[in-house]
Amino acid sequence: ETALHSLRSVGQDAELLSDDKRKLQQTVDKLQSEITALHRDNTELQTTVTKRDGQISILKDELASAEMLGADRSKLQTQVHNLQRELEDVQHTKRSLENKLSD
């Protein structure tokens, strides 16, 4: 009877161990699945970051171009202003000469 009881106890222990092993394997499988999903998400995020870096680079180039155009515009405005003053001086000189000639 004691041997039979021992065999039953060993059988129950074996069943419990088998059940624990099955549960652990399910947990391992679930964790591996989650790790795979995280790797996929990480890859997608890296792709997005790379795209955004490219877009930022393009925008920086466009900003630099706009700043250069702004500086060029400012230079052109100064040149136009200077030419307008020169034209006024020439017109003033012309009027002065016409007045002297008419005298």
Side-chain angles (χ1 to χ4, degrees):
E1 186 175 311
T2 304
L4 185 58
H5 179 70
S6 293
L7 282 176
R8 284 187 186 149
S9 179
V10 168
Q12 289 173 347
D13 288 346
E15 286 179 27
L16 288 174
L17 286 174
S18 178
D19 191 44
D20 288 347
K21 180 182 175 188
R22 184 184 52 76
K23 288 178 183 176
L24 284 173
Q25 186 60 51
Q26 288 175 342
T27 301
V28 167
D29 292 344
K30 181 179 175 185
L31 289 173
Q32 285 177 333
S33 177
E34 290 175 8
I35 288 169
T36 300
L38 287 172
H39 281 301
R40 186 180 56 250
D41 291 348
N42 185 46
T43 300
E44 290 173 7
L45 286 173
Q46 286 175 337
T47 300
T48 300
V49 166
T50 300
K51 287 179 184 177
R52 294 295 184 259
D53 283 344
Q55 291 170 338
I56 288 169
S57 179
I58 289 169
L59 290 174
K60 284 181 179 178
D61 290 346
E62 289 176 0
L63 177 61
S65 294
E67 288 172 347
M68 287 176 54
L69 289 174
D72 290 346
R73 182 174 183 254
S74 178
K75 287 177 187 176
L76 288 173
Q77 286 175 329
T78 301
Q79 289 174 349
V80 166
H81 183 69
N82 290 340
L83 288 171
Q84 286 173 335
R85 273 190 283 154
E86 287 179 28
L87 177 60
E88 289 170 4
D89 291 345
V90 168
Q91 287 173 339
H92 178 72
T93 303
K94 178 185 173 195
R95 279 192 301 273
S96 293
L97 287 173
E98 287 172 346
N99 286 339
K100 286 182 182 180
L101 286 173
S102 66
D103 290 345

